[in-house]
Amino acid sequence: MTQEKAGNNFNATLEGGELVLTRTFNAPRDLVFKTWTEAEHLARWWGPTGFELSVHTLDLRPGGIFHYSMKSAEGFEMWGKFVYHEVNSPEKLVYVNSFSDAEANTIRAPFSESFPLEIMNKLSFTENEGKTTLIMRGGPINATEEELKFFEGMYDSMKQGFGGTFDQLDAYLVKVV
């Protein structure tokens, strides 16, 4: 198990091939869950720092998808999607995340042929005294040995990327609480 801490309320570990992220937000659980499941909220914070997100589809139900594009200031565009497996408001969200094309077909990551095609993410939301702790467990599914090793080798990059994304969510929550 690898463990790193960034700040007071963000933890990232690698456990059994899964990236486990824990973050506490100063907002009620219902609101934090909505920011993960409503298009108008996701468009304001999801994705890498410095990218503008456009929501193309959000169908929040098992089998439904969240299909989006992300564009950098330089004009580089990437597409992604979630395929929802479980939606249990406001305590649990399970989805498979992947890179996609504009038609929502699953494709390889633009940065590597070895990055897994699909990542299963399981999010749990718990509230204590008006603050919400999010635990996100994510790991490759249907992956080759090479893809599993590549995913684990991306730990530092994923920790940094999700740290920035969660910082964006934290800043957004301050505006909507």
Side-chain angles (χ1 to χ4, degrees):
M1 179 171 99
T2 304
Q3 183 166 347
E4 299 278 342
K5 235 183 173 165
N8 297 340
N9 64 357
F10 179 68
N11 236 337
T13 60
L14 194 57
E15 300 174 12
E18 284 189 320
L19 179 65
V20 181
L21 305 168
T22 304
R23 178 78 178 241
T24 300
F25 298 97
N26 191 19
R29 179 170 70 168
D30 286 341
L31 178 60
V32 176
F33 190 86
K34 284 180 182 182
T35 64
W36 278 88
T37 57
E38 295 180 2
E40 61 271 18
H41 292 303
L42 281 161
R44 304 225 184 252
W45 70 271
W46 176 253
T49 303
F51 278 70
E52 181 182 328
L53 185 101
S54 295
V55 176
H56 297 274
T57 304
L58 197 146
D59 182 7
L60 185 68
R61 63 177 175 82
I65 70 166
F66 164 44
H67 183 227
Y68 57 94
S69 61
M70 301 174 286
K71 187 179 270 187
S72 72
E74 300 78 33
F76 174 69
E77 187 173 46
M78 294 184 292
W79 291 79
K81 69 177 178 178
F82 297 179
V83 177
Y84 295 107
H85 285 248
E86 189 175 340
V87 180
N88 188 1
S89 178
E91 57 266 345
K92 188 175 184 182
L93 187 63
V94 178
Y95 61 90
V96 172
N97 190 202
S98 59
F99 288 91
S100 75
D101 61 18
E103 288 77 40
N105 298 302
T106 300
I107 63 167
R108 288 277 170 199
F111 54 85
S112 172
E113 287 291 314
S114 298
F115 192 80
L117 281 171
E118 299 176 307
I119 306 294
M120 174 70 77
N121 291 291
K122 300 171 187 169
L123 284 63
S124 65
F125 304 80
T126 55
E127 185 173 343
N128 184 22
E129 298 179 2
K131 293 184 179 188
T132 301
T133 299
L134 166 69
I135 299 173
M136 179 177 173
R137 300 183 72 87
I141 57 172
N142 306 314
T144 66
E145 191 62 36
E146 178 186 1
E147 291 170 337
L148 293 170
K149 287 179 182 173
F150 189 87
F151 180 83
E152 288 188 13
M154 292 281 301
Y155 169 74
D156 287 332
S157 177
M158 291 185 296
K159 179 184 72 168
Q160 181 181 356
F162 276 106
T165 298
F166 286 2
D167 286 348
Q168 291 173 165
L169 174 55
D170 203 37
Y172 176 67
L173 284 165
V174 168
K175 297 174 188 172
V176 295
V177 169

